[in-house]
Amino acid sequence: MKKNSRFSKFYLGIIFFLMYLPIAVVVVFSFNESKLPVRFTGFSLQWYEKLFHNSAMMEALGNSLILGVSSCLLSAVIGTLGAVGLSRIHWKSKGLLEYISILPLMIPEIILGMVLMAFFYMLGLPFGMLTLLLGHTVFCVPYILMEVKARLVGMDPSLEEAARDLGASPLRAFWDITLPLIMPAVVSGSLLAFAMSMDDVVISIFVNGPRISTLPIKVYTQLKTGVTPEINALCTIMLAATLIVLVLYTVIGKYIRKTNTHFSTGKK
């Protein structure tokens, strides 16, 4: 047993080393004085300074943040209402509806991007932030819908029924009972959708306009001329921001679960 335990720890150590070594290299070379990412010649913050003075990169980052937050908010509303609606119907075609609702995740991105481009062109929509928002919402909704649907399966339906028996309207019962209980799933699905929106390149290329550039597209286009250490600095900043979000989500999630536990058990 001890040998198996040591081997498991050693195996996990190798896996984590291989997973996080590229990230560590990016972070270390973001502080490298040299422009060539082959050896560390000295500590310097010049690439962070150049990054913040790169107006095109900062504009692309701002567009990606606006797009990610907007698509997540819209997807959270659509995905949450869709999951609640699917949980309350008992049609024979319910399985087919659930399959259709997650279909954007199963379609290859290049095909989905071509379909969205043709659809927006048929509608006569100007390609830009609007088409980007609609395109990102299409593939962000399933992430939130699946998370909320899984949470609704484990939720006791008698809680909302009790609120209805006490005179609450369907909207009031949903707002005061169901929504607080499924909020951790909504938040986790939204964070995943935000990450996918910030990472998307293929769909964004197809539905993007000529005057707007998102951060993934900007980085992708720089591959033709060579990626500068400014990208390492940008990745380090985004990694730090992600860690902060994860810490906040863990703290908020613990508070929400504690509140839900007290609410469900009747404790104050």
Side-chain angles (χ1 to χ4, degrees):
M1 295 295 293
K2 291 184 178 180
K3 291 183 178 180
N4 292 334
S5 177
R6 292 177 180 177
F7 177 76
S8 299
K9 292 180 180 179
F10 178 74
Y11 178 75
L12 288 176
I14 294 177
I15 295 298
F16 282 114
F17 176 77
L18 295 176
M19 286 176 57
Y20 292 104
L21 178 61
I23 299 177
V25 171
V26 169
V27 174
V28 170
F29 278 99
S30 68
F31 299 100
N32 190 15
E33 184 179 11
S34 174
K35 185 177 181 179
L36 300 177
V38 291
R39 58 178 301 184
F40 194 84
T41 59
F43 181 85
S44 176
L45 296 176
Q46 60 174 328
W47 305 117
Y48 289 88
E49 182 180 358
K50 292 183 178 181
L51 173 64
F52 289 118
H53 286 85
N54 190 335
S55 58
M57 189 68 70
M58 289 294 100
E59 182 181 359
L61 176 60
N63 291 334
S64 292
L65 291 175
I66 294 173
L67 178 61
V69 172
S70 302
S71 60
C72 283
L73 291 177
L74 186 58
S75 301
V77 175
I78 299 175
T80 302
L81 295 179
V84 173
L86 287 174
S87 66
R88 295 182 179 180
I89 63 176
H90 303 283
W91 302 342
K92 293 182 179 181
S93 59
K94 180 179 179 179
L96 178 62
L97 291 176
E98 292 180 348
Y99 177 79
I100 294 176
S101 65
I102 63 172
L103 196 58
L105 298 182
M106 305 173 67
I107 300 176
E109 285 191 348
I110 189 169
I111 297 178
L112 183 60
M114 293 175 62
V115 170
L116 290 174
M117 180 183 66
F119 180 69
F120 294 151
Y121 180 79
M122 182 181 65
L123 294 179
L125 295 177
F127 286 84
M129 184 59 73
L130 177 60
T131 54
L132 281 171
L133 176 60
L134 295 176
H136 281 224
T137 302
V138 167
F139 68 81
C140 284
V141 166
Y143 293 103
I144 302 175
L145 189 143
M146 290 190 301
E147 290 281 347
V148 176
K149 187 176 67 173
R151 180 67 180 91
L152 287 170
V153 171
M155 195 181 73
D156 188 0
S158 62
L159 296 174
E160 188 172 346
E161 293 174 359
R164 296 291 305 277
D165 293 339
L166 294 174
S169 63
L171 181 60
R172 184 62 183 272
F174 170 77
W175 187 263
D176 292 342
I177 305 299
T178 306
L179 186 59
L181 293 176
I182 64 175
M183 186 55 67
V186 175
V187 174
S188 61
S190 299
L191 289 176
L192 180 58
F194 178 79
M196 298 305 296
S197 176
M198 289 289 295
D199 184 61
D200 181 75
V201 178
V202 178
I203 296 177
S204 297
I205 289 177
F206 280 99
V207 300
N208 188 27
R211 298 182 180 179
I212 295 180
S213 178
T214 61
L215 184 61
I217 295 178
K218 186 68 176 177
V219 175
Y220 177 76
T221 54
Q222 282 193 353
L223 292 176
K224 298 179 180 179
T225 58
V227 178
T228 64
E230 296 177 28
I231 304 301
N232 295 337
L234 178 62
C235 293
T236 303
I237 294 175
M238 295 184 67
L239 176 63
T242 302
L243 293 177
I244 293 174
V245 171
L246 288 176
V247 171
L248 292 177
Y249 171 70
T250 302
V251 175
I252 295 174
K254 289 182 179 179
Y255 174 77
I256 293 176
R257 287 191 293 270
K258 183 179 179 181
T259 304
N260 291 341
T261 302
H262 288 176
F263 178 79
S264 60
T265 56
K267 296 180 181 180
K268 296 183 179 179

